[in-house]
Amino acid sequence: MSAQPTKVTTATLRARKGAQQRITALTAYDFTFAGLLDEAGVDVVLVGDSVATVMQGRDTTVPVTMDQMVYHCELVGRAVKRALVVGDLPFLSYQVSAEDALRNGGRLLKEGLAEAVKLEGGAEFAPTVQRLGTAGIPVSGHIGLTPQSIHQFGSYRARGQDAGERARIVDDARALEQAGAFALVLEKVPSELGREVAAAVSIPVIGIGAGPHVDGQVLVTHDMLGLFTRFRPRFVRRYRELGKEIGDAVREYCRDVQQGKFPNDGESY
Ligand code: KIV
């Protein structure tokens, strides 16, 4: 019988920052992918609201609903044994009131089997982070580029490009830490700002397009595997071209069926 792997918790991530060991995080939205990531040793499996673009074919993350996030979290939660499972609070599930945030964050843990939640926004959400923490729901902040606000900003340009924006991002990081956030995702900012934010707080800062000087990295799995190719931000490194691999496999299968080569005797009863 194989030994149970040591579970990654929010405390593990904090200790990693102290020990200067980088944290690895990837997204998953279903049982099969979540199991593959977990077995490969990723520290954090994020059930991102990127499910909207990657799995639902939407243009932004705005339309994904709370019920859909609970559903995807639960598929992931059933597969993961070692990694910390973090579920995204979708647009409008936490912005209306801290009570709403508590109810919805609670659903991700109770029905969705997540172990922590993530929400987008800075200091203005510190009271919400604190309220969830008081109820036993660990919260990761998400600052820098916040894709749920796309209609307010009008573009996915890198954030923190001027002194005012840089100062605001550092202040946001401090306010979220102060409110009890266990980690921060920092998206699409200059590397030097990534370094500054990571140095400004004692909680782990997990970057996506925030350069190498942060405490860990997260990517959308379908981007890094070449499965989702509709947009390709500069920060995505494609480790494989699985979209192409799948296309080749499907064409081979179709050819075999059409030529009577599949199934063979060994594949028949
Ligand atoms: O939804 C998501 O996948 C995310 C990552 C991009 C960090 O929030």
Side-chain angles (χ1 to χ4, degrees):
M1 210 169 78
S2 62
Q4 274 293 99
T6 307
K7 188 79 187 81
V8 177
T9 65
T10 57
T12 317
L13 302 187
R14 234 181 347 259
R16 288 281 184 80
K17 174 155 181 151
Q20 297 187 333
Q21 292 169 347
R22 290 205 171 87
I23 295 161
T24 56
L26 285 170
T27 60
Y29 319 103
D30 65 68
F31 183 87
T32 302
F33 265 79
L36 289 169
L37 301 185
D38 194 43
E39 278 161 32
V42 75
D43 298 315
V44 178
V45 175
L46 171 66
V47 188
D49 59 0
S50 51
V51 67
T53 47
V54 170
M55 303 294 285
Q56 298 180 334
R58 300 186 187 271
D59 290 333
T60 74
T61 56
V62 171
V64 67
T65 67
M66 195 54 221
D67 284 345
Q68 289 165 348
M69 289 307 299
V70 169
Y71 170 75
H72 286 283
C73 274
E74 204 253 333
L75 304 182
V76 167
R78 276 196 275 126
V80 172
K81 305 217 168 1
R82 175 186 168 273
L84 180 77
V85 178
V86 180
D88 255 350
L89 279 166
F91 179 65
L92 229 55
S93 69
Y94 59 94
Q95 290 94 336
V96 176
S97 70
E99 276 60 42
D100 245 19
L102 182 57
R103 204 169 302 111
N104 288 321
R107 283 192 68 196
L108 288 183
L109 265 63
K110 203 174 161 89
E111 299 169 50
L113 309 177
E115 295 157 323
V117 304
K118 174 167 80 59
L119 58 79
E120 293 183 12
E124 67 280 17
F125 289 104
T128 305
V129 170
Q130 193 160 23
R131 182 79 183 90
L132 268 64
T134 309
I137 303 172
V139 184
S140 167
H142 181 152
I143 54 177
L145 174 66
T146 49
Q148 289 179 12
S149 306
I150 177 63
H151 297 308
Q152 185 181 26
F153 290 108
S155 87
Y156 291 108
R157 69 164 176 81
R159 302 292 189 257
Q161 309 248 47
D162 63 53
E165 225 172 59
R166 279 199 294 279
R168 202 162 40 251
I169 289 171
V170 175
D171 287 348
D172 283 341
R174 290 202 175 105
L176 291 166
E177 175 181 32
Q178 193 74 28
F182 74 91
L184 298 173
V185 166
L186 179 60
E187 181 162 354
K188 209 171 181 184
V189 299
S191 294
E192 279 313 306
L193 180 57
R195 187 202 294 276
E196 193 180 339
V197 172
V201 294
S202 60
I203 54 175
V205 175
I206 301 176
I208 173 162
H213 310 297
V214 287
D215 306 304
Q217 300 290 332
V218 58
L219 282 176
V220 170
T221 298
H222 290 62
D223 288 343
M224 59 85 87
L225 293 179
L227 285 167
F228 182 78
T229 53
R230 249 170 75 194
F231 349 102
R232 184 175 179 179
R234 177 168 133 194
F235 58 71
V236 171
R237 183 182 294 180
R238 287 235 190 107
Y239 282 83
R240 291 290 185 278
E241 295 294 344
L242 291 194
K244 185 182 169 307
E245 281 279 300
I246 289 173
D248 289 347
V250 171
R251 274 184 289 277
E252 207 173 308
Y253 164 77
C254 291
R255 216 172 30 244
D256 283 353
V257 170
Q258 285 155 0
Q259 294 175 359
K261 292 181 179 164
F262 175 81
N264 61 23
D265 286 348
E267 291 155 341
S268 305
Y269 297 90

